[in-house]
Amino acid sequence: MPTNLKNPALYINRELSWLQFNTRVLKQALNESLPLLERLKFLAIYGTNLDEFYMIRVAGLKKLFSAGVNVSGADRFTPLHQLREIRTYLHEEQKVVEHCLLDIMNRLEKEGIFFKPYRETTLEQRKVLDRYFHENIYPVVVPIAVDATHPFPHLNNLSFGQIVKLRDKDDSSIERYGIIRIPRVLPRFVDIDNRIYIPIGSLVAEHIGDLFPGYELIKFSAFRITRNADIAIEEEEADDFMEMLEEGLKLRKKGEIVRLELSNHADDDLLNFFNRHANVFKDDIYRFTTYLNLGALWQIVGNKDFAHLTAPSFKPRNLPPLDSDENLYAILDKQDLILFHPFESFEPVVRLIQTAAKDPDVVSIRMTLYRSGSQSLIVQSLIAAAESGKQVTVMVELKARFDEENNLIWAKALESAGAHVIYGITGLKVHAKAALVTRRVNGKLKQYVHIGTGNYNPSTATIYTDISYMTSNDAITYDMTRFFHFLTGFSKKGKLGELYMAPTQIKPKLLSLIHNETRMGSEGVIIAKMNALVDEDIIRALYKASQAGVKIELIVRGVCCLRPGVEGVSENIRVTSIIGKYLEHARIFYFKHADPQTYISSADWMPRNLLRRIELLTPIAGEEASAKLLQILELQISDNDLAYELQYNGSYRKVSHDGAHTINSHLIVETETNKVYNSTKKQTPNYVQQLTNRLFKES
């Protein structure tokens, strides 16, 4: 009898799957084999991830609950059920987080890095701290009385400060409450000699008399709030989308408070005072014995004096043919290039745009920009190109969450320079990563394309694993021209020929590729690497492929709603997640019986990517380029050091090894890249030279 593939039991809840992902990040912080500051880095990442989860996902669930929505997602969990599960999970995990931080801090003391409250410092150190307070903190900190004539202040998203209860020195019967806002411009730790870190709240608490003259401190607690930060903008009738976005950014600071974090100094008295005004649900209040803002730990992670306590750095390389002085256009005239970042340098991508900006033969540059960073050489080159009279067209996605302000700044600068700037497509985010350079060569136009899985951001290109594809293939460049025409013009039914574009083409193509492997039965093989797998139709297609005997390897970094190991449904599906030194960000797909077999994409397998964004799926047909992508996939499904395997119950188990045959995919690619770079022979990296691959040994 056919299985009901819509059965909710076959699907893992998206939010609970995300929590499992962040737990895997936390496990890196718990890993005692890693250097201490590397462990602290993962704790900072864990905290930053959790902030965004509350700002977006939990805030969204609260809105659904308030709106009376009963179910959401294939698992059919109600918003209330999800909120309860999330709160239970996080309150339990908080104990692990605090234990982890205390353990790391104790170990750092043996290495000469100390965390101390003000009162545990020496007299000489206090003099330094007092001077720092009066010179750097006192002028910008904001003491606020709260009473009948002083209303409770508005606190922006991620506001940090202290709740204080004070006593009048002249009349001990008079007690008052106040708030001290500690602006984000101040560091969360005041460091002495780059090795002793004093929490800023501890320093502020010792100077209450300076902030509230005539009063003495009875008790205090640090606090931190998280607000709903998801901007909802109605785009219809929008005459000025930039102006609307600026308004949305202001509203983000005023969204509903969805989480309150307090230090363990907070008794019921302080909590009740604060929550009379903040009105945070009791289970969204978290009390900490350690520091509230884990993201602030980046300040310590970045201490250059203790670089030996971080993971060994790796310098991205330019491999043949990009290690020569040969002109980049000449190289692309002869061959396509696949670059595996951050092991292979992002510099050639930057060089493509910088060269185009200066080249008198270049007539136009077209690009999409999603997250380019605050200091972007690429955008600066585009501005220079526009100012020199070249035709520059840039699609700046103003709705790139948490990067909107940078994008607003760049959009205005580009427009001022004379570039044609597109501020988004109504109802859709433009998430595709693409650039097109058009040159005049011997009286004819010649075009060059870059398509990537990651953003045009050289900073993140050193820590994210991504793929770049560079080509002058006429079919691809023609399609890319049509793609940019779709962005700048009107086209409801536009389709590309060689490339595939969401929201109209990628999902049907993926379903077709999966169906094709399904027809091959036990001969079928699918390997897919992505950040998230949520789309129900894709998951059902994979279940059908598994039922037909297709071998399916999924490398999903984060959320995965597919449930492996279900008898009669998903026995042939294995799901792993790699968490390590680099953030896995590339989307690479392999279908054994397709032609071509390999693809890269900007899109994860989620409804938002496939149906509500403009994305690109790019077939990689060249034999060498395709083989390189397949090697990356083979290596990652063989990883037994950084990989976690998804279990039937939704939890993840660390993939084990015997110690003698450790396969750390990040380390292997670093080693192989350096080997090629230092070799006198021109060759392509062979990432799987020493691996015995269980899936492909018979193929």
Side-chain angles (χ1 to χ4, degrees):
M1 181 181 293
T3 306
N4 176 16
L5 296 182
K6 292 187 178 182
N7 184 342
L10 295 178
Y11 299 87
I12 297 170
N13 177 261
R14 170 180 172 159
E15 315 307 346
L16 301 186
S17 179
W18 186 92
L19 290 174
Q20 286 282 339
F21 157 66
N22 214 30
T23 296
R24 296 195 294 281
V25 174
L26 177 59
K27 285 181 178 178
Q28 292 297 105
L30 292 163
N31 185 349
E32 295 183 9
S33 70
L34 293 178
L36 285 172
L37 290 186
E38 193 73 5
R39 293 177 62 190
L40 201 67
K41 178 190 81 173
F42 279 107
L43 209 52
I45 294 170
Y46 171 90
T48 305
N49 286 349
L50 196 54
D51 286 347
E52 184 170 337
F53 180 72
Y54 245 95
M55 284 188 279
I56 305 301
R57 304 304 307 176
V58 174
L61 287 171
K62 283 173 167 277
K63 288 178 73 174
L64 289 175
F65 174 69
S66 299
V69 175
N70 291 323
V71 293
S72 59
D75 56 87
R76 311 305 286 170
F77 279 16
T78 66
L80 181 59
H81 184 182
Q82 293 175 73
L83 286 168
R84 286 173 174 165
E85 293 281 347
I86 289 166
R87 290 158 176 158
T88 300
Y89 191 102
L90 290 177
H91 279 289
E92 280 298 310
E93 192 161 79
Q94 181 183 329
K95 302 169 190 174
V96 180
V97 171
E98 293 186 302
H99 175 79
C100 176
L101 179 55
L102 290 171
D103 176 61
I104 294 172
M105 288 165 56
N106 289 335
R107 292 170 186 260
L108 283 172
E109 285 193 4
K110 298 174 184 176
E111 300 290 341
I113 296 178
F114 301 90
F115 296 82
K116 292 184 177 182
Y118 178 92
R119 293 190 175 185
E120 291 183 13
T121 57
T122 66
L123 184 61
E124 286 303 309
Q125 289 169 346
R126 290 184 191 184
K127 290 179 181 178
V128 173
L129 291 168
D130 292 343
R131 185 166 61 250
Y132 183 92
F133 173 83
H134 287 289
E135 292 178 358
N136 298 282
I137 298 176
Y138 184 78
V140 294
V141 76
V142 185
I144 303 169
V146 180
D147 55 27
T149 58
H150 298 84
F152 192 85
H154 171 76
L155 301 170
N156 290 343
N157 185 29
L158 301 183
S159 282
F160 171 74
Q162 291 181 324
I163 316 165
V164 295
K165 188 173 185 179
L166 308 168
R167 179 182 293 117
D168 191 315
K169 288 183 178 179
D170 297 327
D171 185 348
S172 60
S173 67
I174 298 175
E175 296 180 349
R176 302 182 66 179
Y177 294 96
I179 296 287
I180 302 172
R181 294 178 63 173
I182 301 176
R184 243 175 277 183
V185 295
L186 294 171
R188 286 295 170 260
F189 297 95
V190 178
D191 66 90
I192 301 175
D193 299 329
N194 230 18
R195 62 185 185 87
I196 301 174
Y197 291 91
I198 315 299
I200 193 170
S202 171
L203 179 53
V204 170
E206 295 297 327
H207 291 84
I208 291 297
D210 296 308
L211 296 171
F212 294 97
Y215 289 85
E216 61 184 1
L217 181 67
I218 300 175
K219 53 189 172 184
F220 76 98
S221 170
F223 75 88
R224 185 168 181 261
I225 66 164
T226 309
R227 289 184 180 273
N228 179 347
D230 203 8
I231 298 175
I233 297 176
E234 297 297 329
E235 294 177 75
E236 301 139 7
E237 312 300 327
D239 292 322
D240 189 342
F241 184 66
M242 291 178 71
E243 186 176 321
M244 292 186 69
L245 184 71
E246 287 169 336
E247 284 302 309
L249 289 170
K250 293 175 187 174
L251 289 172
R252 171 178 283 172
K253 299 175 183 177
K254 301 178 182 179
E256 174 196 4
I257 297 177
V258 293
R259 180 180 60 167
L260 171 62
E261 297 167 281
L262 297 168
S263 69
N264 63 341
H265 296 100
D267 60 11
D268 288 343
D269 177 35
L270 288 179
L271 171 59
N272 290 336
F273 155 70
F274 193 89
N275 214 24
R276 279 199 300 272
H277 306 280
N279 194 29
V280 182
F281 183 66
K282 62 181 178 63
D283 289 339
D284 290 319
I285 298 172
Y286 296 81
R287 297 175 188 248
F288 286 83
T289 57
T290 55
Y291 307 117
L292 302 188
N293 183 6
L294 293 176
L297 297 172
W298 282 108
Q299 182 182 344
I300 292 92
V301 173
N303 188 334
K304 301 298 182 186
D305 293 348
F306 293 89
H308 61 286
L309 298 178
T310 61
S313 60
F314 177 81
K315 183 178 180 180
R317 303 298 193 182
N318 275 333
L319 300 185
L322 294 168
D323 60 342
S324 68
D325 295 329
E326 188 174 6
N327 181 281
L328 183 55
Y329 299 129
I331 293 172
L332 294 176
D333 284 338
K334 293 184 291 187
Q335 67 180 101
D336 292 351
L337 296 176
I338 287 285
L339 307 181
F340 188 18
H341 310 303
F343 314 101
E344 293 177 76
S345 176
F346 193 71
E347 182 274 334
V349 181
V350 178
R351 193 197 321 169
L352 177 70
I353 306 305
Q354 287 180 322
T355 302
K358 298 173 183 176
D359 187 345
D361 293 325
V362 167
V363 296
S364 76
I365 308 171
R366 302 179 186 186
M367 282 193 76
T368 62
L369 291 179
Y370 191 73
R371 300 188 196 277
S372 55
S374 58
Q375 304 290 328
S376 174
L377 292 174
I378 286 178
V379 181
Q380 290 168 15
S381 295
L382 292 171
I383 290 170
E387 289 175 339
S388 70
K390 289 180 170 59
Q391 183 193 73
V392 176
T393 303
V394 187
M395 167 63 240
V396 180
E397 181 48 78
L398 296 180
K399 296 178 294 239
R401 185 177 285 151
F402 301 120
D403 226 37
E404 299 96 344
E405 292 181 71
N406 279 337
N407 288 2
L408 274 169
I409 292 168
W410 285 129
K412 291 176 179 178
L414 284 160
E415 203 168 50
S416 296
H420 176 55
V421 181
I422 313 159
Y423 297 116
I425 307 297
T426 303
L428 300 167
K429 270 189 183 180
V430 179
H431 192 247
K433 318 337 180 157
L436 174 67
V437 174
T438 303
R439 298 179 75 223
R440 195 174 298 282
V441 181
N442 298 324
K444 295 182 178 180
L445 295 181
K446 178 71 176 176
Q447 295 183 300
Y448 302 86
V449 161
H450 171 268
I451 301 173
T453 64
N455 299 307
Y456 288 107
N457 188 330
S459 297
T460 56
T462 63
I463 54 176
Y464 289 16
T465 71
D466 270 307
I467 299 296
S468 278
Y469 173 54
M470 302 174 78
T471 183
S472 65
N473 178 289
D474 289 340
I476 298 292
T477 60
Y478 177 74
D479 247 12
M480 190 54 63
T481 301
R482 297 180 68 214
F483 172 74
F484 279 103
H485 285 174
F486 293 151
L487 294 185
T488 58
F490 294 103
S491 179
K492 291 185 176 180
K493 299 181 180 179
K495 288 191 175 182
L496 304 177
E498 296 295 316
L499 306 174
Y500 300 89
M501 179 174 67
T504 56
Q505 290 179 281
I506 295 182
K507 184 171 177 177
K509 179 61 177 177
L510 290 173
L511 290 172
S512 172
L513 289 165
I514 295 169
H515 177 68
N516 187 50
E517 294 301 316
T518 304
R519 290 192 302 108
M520 305 308 297
S522 60
E523 295 297 311
V525 176
I526 298 171
I527 312 177
K529 171 179 171 55
M530 67 203 78
N531 299 324
L533 171 56
V534 176
D535 188 85
E536 296 174 38
D537 296 326
I538 297 281
I539 293 173
R540 279 196 283 273
L542 291 170
Y543 283 155
K544 289 177 182 177
S546 172
Q547 289 175 321
V550 177
K551 299 180 182 68
I552 302 171
E553 289 277 355
L554 302 175
I555 310 161
V556 186
R557 184 193 76 204
V559 173
C560 180
C561 296
L562 179 147
R563 192 181 296 278
V566 179
E567 185 178 353
V569 177
S570 55
E571 299 105 322
N572 291 315
I573 304 177
R574 178 174 180 257
V575 182
T576 54
S577 171
I578 292 175
I579 305 289
K581 180 178 178 180
Y582 302 106
L583 179 73
E584 292 293 332
H585 192 254
R587 293 89 166 185
I588 311 171
F589 315 131
Y590 169 85
F591 301 91
K592 182 179 178 183
H593 294 93
D595 184 19
Q597 295 177 312
T598 54
Y599 299 78
I600 64 169
S601 183
S602 58
D604 289 312
W605 290 1
M606 305 175 71
R608 73 178 190 193
N609 298 88
L610 302 175
L611 302 175
R612 298 191 295 276
R613 290 185 175 184
I614 292 182
E615 307 267 15
L616 285 173
L617 173 69
T618 305
I620 305 299
E623 184 176 339
E624 187 173 306
S626 181
K628 184 173 181 177
L629 292 175
L630 182 54
Q631 282 193 18
I632 293 168
L633 293 174
E634 288 181 357
L635 172 62
Q636 293 210 335
I637 62 176
S638 302
D639 191 302
N640 60 15
D641 191 44
L642 305 177
Y644 293 79
E645 185 170 350
L646 176 58
Q647 306 299 295
Y648 166 82
N649 64 0
S651 66
Y652 283 76
R653 178 181 58 82
K654 190 82 164 62
V655 175
S656 61
H657 58 83
D658 59 10
H661 300 94
T662 302
I663 301 171
N664 179 315
S665 56
H666 291 174
L667 183 59
I668 286 175
V669 180
E670 283 186 347
T671 303
E672 185 64 24
T673 302
N674 273 335
K675 188 190 303 180
V676 172
Y677 179 78
N678 294 320
S679 173
T680 56
K681 298 178 181 178
K682 304 295 183 185
Q683 56 183 338
T684 300
N686 186 346
Y687 302 128
V688 293
Q689 197 168 28
Q690 304 301 323
L691 298 179
T692 303
N693 188 280
R694 59 180 178 75
L695 188 60
F696 286 83
K697 61 185 178 181
E698 296 178 358
S699 301

